[in-house]
Amino acid sequence: MTSHQPPLWRRAVAELLGTGLLVSIVVGSGIAAQQLSPNDVGLQLLQNSTATVLGLTVLILMLGPVSGAHLNPVISLVDWALGRRSGTGLTLPDLGTYVVAQTVGAIGGSVLANAMFEVGTSISVKDRATTGHLLGEVVATAGLVLLIFALAATKRGVLAAPAVGAYIGAAYWFTSSTSFANPAVTVGRIFSDTFAGIAPVSVPAFVVAQLLGAAVGLGLLLILFPSAARNTGDIVLPHSAEKTSA
């Protein structure tokens, strides 16, 4: 018996499904919050963040054994970058496939959420690209990258689901941007002109801020955990347990 990762097509399906469901959770709970508490933005954010924390935790537990449950291009990008140092992690074709699957899934997830709540799919007009919001995205993404890869570097990947859920839940509140921290999710949220939407004009700046945050997080990781590159095969959760006959 030998151990290896699931085939790329299966991992891509997991990333597409997971990112789609994540955006459905974010957008759908935002629509529900807007309908249930129309006059209280703070309560809307509480409802939205609570659903996201719980949903993200479940998605990582469910799909992590297949693809690692990256659900985020910056996590896949850092996994690839670290792997170049040790020959582990995602390959370049893996990276491209993951990013496409995540982005397509995110757009589909937004459309699905709109359909479930019978809200027409339309382009958001919510402009979010202020200086404070962009700084918030740098901070949120840097913290997320550092958390995930620090857990892997210290062989505590089993804690990723609750830890990532908790971090995103906190970052909803301590960052001014409400912690998108994910280029695919950012693109997906263009397609819902609701509480969780983002205007297309804001997206390029958000993605740049997220990439900058990923670089900051990677730099901090290599300072604090120099051996991190040797453990990139288990990001976000170990996903090499599939067995086949030798």
Side-chain angles (χ1 to χ4, degrees):
M1 302 288 283
T2 58
S3 170
H4 64 84
Q5 287 191 349
L8 180 57
W9 70 264
R10 189 177 297 163
R11 287 182 281 143
V13 170
E15 288 296 301
L16 186 149
L17 176 63
T19 313
L21 289 174
L22 175 59
V23 173
S24 288
I25 291 165
V26 172
V27 172
S29 63
I31 295 171
Q34 208 168 24
Q35 294 177 350
L36 294 169
S37 309
N39 300 315
D40 192 334
V41 177
L43 185 55
Q44 291 173 9
L45 187 60
L46 178 61
Q47 294 160 340
N48 188 210
S49 61
T50 301
T52 302
V53 168
L54 297 174
L56 179 57
T57 300
V58 169
L59 290 174
I60 293 173
L61 289 172
M62 179 171 64
L63 299 171
V66 181
S67 68
H70 293 190
L71 315 183
N72 187 334
V74 297
I75 301 304
S76 300
L77 178 62
V78 173
D79 185 38
W80 172 79
L82 282 173
R84 296 318 90 219
R85 297 159 57 100
S86 62
T88 60
L90 295 180
T91 65
L92 193 58
D94 289 347
L95 173 62
T97 302
Y98 268 48
V99 171
V100 170
Q102 291 156 355
T103 304
V104 171
I107 294 170
S110 197
V111 173
L112 175 61
N114 293 334
M116 287 192 293
F117 285 91
E118 299 183 356
V119 173
T121 295
S122 57
I123 302 301
S124 177
V125 296
K126 185 174 291 188
D127 188 359
R128 297 178 182 264
T130 68
T131 301
H133 287 165
L134 297 178
L135 178 58
E137 282 300 288
V138 173
V139 171
T141 310
L144 181 63
V145 167
L146 180 57
L147 169 64
I148 289 172
F149 287 89
L151 289 174
T154 54
K155 301 187 184 302
R156 294 178 297 158
V158 68
L159 299 176
V164 172
Y167 176 79
I168 292 298
Y172 254 88
W173 292 91
F174 80 77
T175 66
S176 57
S177 63
T178 68
S179 183
F180 285 50
N182 185 327
V185 169
T186 303
V187 171
R189 288 167 70 164
I190 291 173
F191 296 89
S192 187
D193 191 19
T194 59
F195 180 78
I198 181 172
V201 69
S202 298
V203 169
F206 259 58
V207 172
V208 169
Q210 290 157 359
L211 292 173
L212 178 58
V216 172
L218 176 57
L220 291 172
L221 177 78
L222 294 177
I223 290 170
L224 297 172
F225 303 96
S227 65
R230 293 197 295 271
N231 298 288
T232 54
D234 289 340
I235 305 298
V236 171
L237 286 181
H239 51 287
S240 56
E242 181 173 288
K243 302 288 185 181
T244 60
S245 297

